[in-house]
Amino acid sequence: MQSKQKKILVIDDEPDILEFLQELLRQEGYAVAVAERAEYIDTLCDNSLPDLILIDVLLSGKDGRDIVRRLKSQPETEHIPVIMFSAHPGAEETVLAVGADDFVAKPFEMDEILEKIATHI
Amino acid sequence: MAILSNDNHIDPELENTLPLNKQQSSAPPENNMEIVVLVDAKGIITYISSSISSLLASAPEAIVGCHVRTLLHPDDFEPALWAGSSVEQAVSESQEGEYRLRHKDGSWHWFEGKRMNLLAVPGVGAIACTFRTISQQELAPRLHWSEIYTSKHFVQFYENDAFLIDSVSSFLGTGLETGDACIVIATQEHLLMLEEQLRANGVDLLRASAQDKYIACDVNTGLALFMVHGLPEPERFSQAIGGMIERAAQRGHHIRIFGEMVAQLWVEGKPDAAVRLEELWNNLYHNPYAFSLFCSYPMRCFAGEIYREQFSRICQLHSHVIPDESYTSLAQIDERLRAISSLQQKAGSLVAEIGERKEAEKQLKVSEDRYRRLFETSKDGLLIVDADTHLITDVNPSVTELLGYPREQLLSRDLWHSSIFQSQEISQTAWQEALEQPSSRYDALPLQTRDGQIRYVEFVSNRYRANGHEVIQCSLRDVSERKELDKRKDEFISMASHELKTPVTSLKGFLNLVQRRSMKQGDEKILHYLARMDMQINKLTALINDLLDLSRMQTGKLIYREETFLLDELVREIVANIQETTQTHRLILERQTHATVFGDRERIGQVLINLLNNAIKYSPRADTVLIRMANDQQKILVSIQDFGIGIAQDHHLRIFERFYQVTEPAEKTYPGLGIGLSISSEIVRRHRGQMWVESRKGEGATFHFTLPLTDEGKRRASL
């Protein structure tokens, strides 16, 4: 078991996806915060910064890639690993281009997500 | 326009543009001067050439079926030869003579006749007669002015002035009456006589003159305009006389000219200059105005044998020859008449040629009209460019509509400097290519319209020769809408697949959670069911991905990754995965190589999955699928063999087409989208490989595909 629980922030506009990811990641021993809205990111403060962020590309009115670009351009957040997922398999290149650390195509296997998280956290 | 050149040959330019001409000049042996008649053994006319209508005013159909005695004069008609059944023996093989034939009005006309007995010739079985006109009626009076008006350039020979003035005043008088403009270039003496006669006929010359409808000029004044060193100077001639014709053309739709300049030169003893001038007149027909030219020569010019040849030359330069008045008397039929007659026939052949050319012109006009209509109404924009000057010579309404420029702004322009092709680099390249290459093609070329918008066109250019000129024809088909639709379809499929994948992601996520829980509880049965569900979800995902791939392939947006990988490894992996999904078939990997290939590993995997799934799907009664690999120095071959229903030869190529389904009753029981093979073969093609099938109906199928080896693979292959 980890000495200190790692915090993962998951942002997706689909509540079902948030629900099962939250459950699964908790079972794996992570502390999980989920948000449907991208604005949640703005409310993060120093002591609540996650150790890893999982974020969808299309977020009902917001482009997840814009958020990642901003996170990666700010000194306080640029170190946080970001994994993006999308139902567009072609999105991988654009996602990596904005600075995301990894990409997972939807629909994904749980094991695939867990493996990727483990490599970045 | 019909052009008469002095050697009676078809103008070479016309010949080039009119492939019809050759055929027409070798048309049936009949002509307007000859009547061909076929008569059967009983003396009944079975055929008569249509020339009878112009020579004897009778309709051919009125004569066919009649006895030959209704056509031939009783004195020339040999009853014994035509009557009864002995005709065959009575008619000699071939006979020539002079015959009178009946005109529709009851009068008799003289003809030279030739008769051939072809009764015994199989397929003919008739007496063939040809009658060639010689009677005086055919020589002079038959040439009514109405016929001559349509003639371009004709000559009248005359012995006394009154006869000539009579003809000319009739020629000009009818012209002025019907609204034609007239030009007279005559001797002072003839001019006075002519004008007096015209006035006597009731023509208001002063008024016609004031309206520029009647232009008169003294023959010497006329000649002085262009004669240089005793010969007509072509440039000056066309300026002076052409200018006169142009002036007259503004007043009348047709122009009649009476000219004595040639005769004057002849009288002055300059036959060469006269002949040259006749030729220059003939060349004037190249100008855009229609005119008839009446020339006259006094017969005394041709007295004596030495002028025989020149006389013949003069005749040949005209489309029509009207002999002099001495031939109006039948009593004077003699050698000269025959000479004139043959000359008339020479001119007659010119008339026939004019007829042919008119027909050819008509054909040309029809085809020109047809082309023009196509050009004007084409929905595709058509742009004709001169290959030498690069200037636009013609555009159709679709171009002006498409680009927003009025026609006048495009004509005589070099598009190179316009913004139409300048806005984007690809358009510049395309235009350059159109100007330089024999042909070019672009599927969606961006062009800038007058108001700065970009329209996408399918652009095709072709260079060809027309009328001795290199032209470039460009066709522009507006595909902006199609492009927009493609874009929308692409976006739709992309969005649809996203929308389909979102619930699938949730299904899979919750399924994974349930699987974990069941694993802890050790419920094998539930775990089995969940595995089946998971597999079905994977199939659904694969279908959604196929749809997306297909759309992206069409728009060229499918991205291929490139990496070097071991094909063996990939094949083993895929075979193992598929084996897990089937209990009915054993997948046997028979042979492997150790080849590396360069390409998109995942996409090649997709091809293998597709072929293996097909092999299983289409062999429900078999239990084996064989996978073999082999390589040579250049490429690697993968073959997947099943023992199923097979594919008939007819479908071997088409199964790789998009949405193609074998629709035979047995195959209908195997539903599918018909896109798997299309995607697979496209992926292989993009890797510079090939895919094909070997199969016979009912005997299973073997799908093969090749992939090129990497350099490393080739090196290993050669070891």
Side-chain angles (χ1 to χ4, degrees), chain B residues 322-529:
Chain B
I322 309 166
D324 79 64
E325 62 275 25
S326 60
Y327 300 98
T328 52
S329 152
L330 185 63
Q332 288 188 4
I333 293 181
D334 59 4
E335 280 309 303
R336 270 175 74 196
L337 173 70
R338 288 189 184 276
I340 296 278
S341 163
S342 79
L343 287 169
Q344 172 70 72
Q345 282 178 16
K346 229 177 229 173
S349 72
L350 273 177
V351 172
E353 194 182 309
I354 287 171
E356 282 165 14
R357 287 195 188 176
K358 277 206 174 127
E359 182 55 32
E361 271 169 36
K362 213 169 94 194
Q363 299 282 349
L364 182 66
K365 180 86 175 39
V366 167
S367 97
E368 258 176 19
D369 286 352
R370 192 177 300 148
Y371 167 75
R372 199 71 219 170
R373 265 203 305 280
L374 279 174
F375 186 82
E376 293 295 336
T377 61
S378 169
K379 278 188 142 183
D380 290 348
L382 294 169
L383 201 95
I384 313 287
V385 180
D386 186 307
D388 297 325
T389 62
H390 293 176
L391 299 180
I392 298 178
T393 57
D394 209 352
V395 294
N396 71 348
S398 295
V399 170
T400 58
E401 199 181 310
L402 177 75
L403 299 174
Y405 287 93
R407 188 179 147 84
E408 311 76 61
Q409 277 198 27
L410 293 171
L411 289 186
S412 302
R413 286 290 183 83
D414 185 341
L415 276 191
W416 181 240
H417 305 294
S418 81
S419 55
I420 297 170
F421 283 88
Q422 282 294 325
S423 62
Q424 300 196 24
E425 209 178 308
I426 183 165
S427 311
Q428 294 178 23
T429 313
W431 185 243
Q432 199 68 32
E433 196 179 319
L435 295 177
E436 286 166 6
Q437 303 297 324
S439 66
S440 68
R441 186 192 175 94
Y442 286 83
D443 285 337
L445 191 68
L447 297 185
Q448 190 171 320
T449 63
R450 196 185 182 194
D451 56 13
Q453 285 187 16
I454 294 293
R455 302 292 289 180
Y456 285 88
V457 301
E458 187 183 302
F459 179 85
V460 180
S461 82
N462 275 295
R463 175 190 284 255
Y464 59 88
R465 243 187 134 68
N467 287 334
H469 247 78
E470 287 266 329
V471 297
I472 298 156
Q473 179 176 307
C474 307
S475 105
L476 319 172
R477 175 171 295 183
D478 193 350
V479 292
S480 305
E481 215 167 288
R482 197 169 81 199
K483 220 178 140 63
E484 175 62 28
L485 277 175
D486 273 351
K487 201 175 134 213
R488 265 191 252 166
K489 190 186 73 186
D490 196 40
E491 281 168 2
F492 170 77
I493 293 185
S494 177
M495 215 35 163
S497 69
H498 178 267
E499 291 303 294
L500 289 168
K501 278 180 181 179
T502 304
V504 173
T505 307
S506 291
L507 276 175
K508 211 170 167 62
F510 287 111
L511 184 75
N512 281 175
L513 281 179
V514 180
Q515 271 176 323
R516 284 167 171 256
R517 190 166 282 215
S518 305
M519 222 146 8
K520 277 183 200 149
Q521 294 165 350
D523 192 334
E524 287 299 319
K525 200 142 196 173
I526 295 282
L527 277 174
H528 172 70
Y529 294 151

Side-chain angles (χ1 to χ4, degrees), chain B residues 173 176-177 195-205 207:
Chain B
L176 287 168
E177 267 171 35
E195 291 187 350
E196 194 181 323
Q197 178 78 50
L198 283 169
R199 274 192 289 270
N201 292 350
V203 176
D204 187 350
L205 276 183
R207 189 154 163 259

Side-chain angles (χ1 to χ4, degrees), chain B residues 144-160:
Chain B
H144 293 299
W145 291 121
S146 60
E147 290 172 36
I148 284 173
Y149 297 161
T150 63
S151 167
K152 299 282 181 202
H153 186 181
F154 54 94
V155 61
Q156 160 99 67
F157 296 102
Y158 68 97
E159 281 179 359
N160 68 63

Side-chain angles (χ1 to χ4, degrees), chain A:
Chain A
M1 271 272 116
Q2 293 120 321
S3 56
K4 192 183 168 230
Q5 232 184 359
K6 297 279 184 186
K7 287 180 282 183
I8 295 177
L9 170 63
V10 187
I11 303 175
D12 197 306
D13 58 350
E14 186 60 55
D16 274 358
I17 289 176
L18 291 180
E19 191 183 332
F20 77 71
L21 276 177
Q22 188 170 29
E23 176 63 27
L24 178 96
L25 295 174
R26 273 190 190 147
Q27 286 183 16
E28 291 296 317
Y30 296 109
V32 186
V34 298
E36 273 181 51
R37 304 180 70 84
E39 286 76 15
Y40 180 83
I41 288 275
D42 302 328
T43 66
L44 293 176
C45 54
D46 277 353
N47 54 13
S48 69
L49 280 180
D51 296 299
L52 185 138
I53 299 173
L54 281 174
I55 182 168
D56 194 14
V57 171
L58 297 183
L59 291 165
S60 310
K62 263 240 147 85
D63 191 323
R65 284 168 294 205
D66 293 339
I67 295 160
V68 173
R69 202 180 284 121
R70 212 178 68 224
L71 286 172
K72 288 295 179 180
S73 65
Q74 292 169 346
E76 314 85 65
T77 51
E78 66 173 356
H79 66 279
I80 303 173
V82 177
I83 299 174
M84 295 197 81
F85 37 66
S86 170
H88 292 277
E92 180 167 0
E93 292 199 7
T94 61
V95 156
L96 298 179
V98 296
D101 298 271
D102 219 329
F103 173 80
V104 182
K106 282 183 180 175
F108 42 74
E109 296 286 344
M110 285 303 136
D111 292 343
E112 195 185 356
I113 285 272
L114 292 173
E115 253 173 56
K116 297 231 170 180
I117 290 172
T119 52
H120 291 290
I121 210 157

